[in-house]
Amino acid sequence: MIRRNILADEAARQQFIDGVLALKDPARFPWPGQQGLSIYDLFVSWHHQSMMLFTPPTQRDRNAAHSGPAFLPWHRYFLLRFEGYLRIALGNPEFRLPYWDWAADAALADPRQSPLWADGAMGRFTAPAVWQVRVVPAERGITRLSRPRPLARSPGRAGALPTREQVRAVLRDQVLYDAPPYNSTSNGFRNYLEGWEGPGIHNIVHVWVGGDMTDSTSPNDPLFFLHHCNVDRIWHAWRRRYPNAPYVPAQSAANTLAFHRLDDALYSVFRETTRVTPRGMLDPLAPGAPFSANDRYDYDTLADLQA
Ligand SMILES: [Cu+2]
């Protein structure tokens, strides 16, 4: 099953919107034990909680899902679980998440004119009658808003969309997955793609969209999933290009790197029957847990990422 460019597949775009609206509805997909909140809100919370879990707690840089090697496998896992819920909501076992190729929009005279932002596409979610933010960050955990508010965005006010050439350069030049000290100062593909080094690839897209996308609760904006699907596509392309570059750190690394080593369990709010680890996330086409036959995916193209 194929994950496609959202601007090239009208059916995937419509299904994504329908599925997201269903998961957001507490009547249809309730978050167990949280009256008035939905499964969608649970994903928002999961992402926030991952950022509050510093690994190890003696520093304030690397957390369970960011500024460290697990950034890519953790977000792949997060998307997979969300995609699974979308399939249930849509009653469509063939559904796969679409992606937002922001490097294509970077080439436009004004990326805000991209059809992505049309009312029939992602522009829809800024309509207060369609979408309300219910959970926001707090010092400890999340705060549930007593009065939900509309989604906030300010596209183009800050940051920039990465260009095709910038993405290709990172794919070509970063031949190691990651490197000590395995945080936001590291060399290697993960940190350049995450964007703490180099042109800021993943991070700067969050900044360019602005508003809720810049917060630890960034999945409040459904654009999060399209953005991270493209990040996942770039990781997939890199693995194809450098198939012999191992995921690091290995399990023998110090336990100050817990949550990021090859066989550590990725931080989760779901109780999994099989341990979900970076190793298990390395190939979305590989047979075996945690990818079931129903979960496997490939991308429509990686051609734009080759140089
Ligand atoms: Cu994230």
Side-chain angles (χ1 to χ4, degrees), residues 147 204 249 262:
R147 256 180 295 166
I204 210 167
L262 185 60

Side-chain angles (χ1 to χ4, degrees), residues 47 50-51 63 65-66 71 74-75 78 194 202 206 215-216 218-219 224 228:
H47 187 271
S50 81
M51 294 191 83
N63 62 61
H66 305 85
F71 171 70
W74 187 88
H75 284 80
F78 190 79
E194 188 171 3
H202 147 269
H206 280 276
D215 238 323
S216 56
S218 51
F224 173 97
H228 269 279

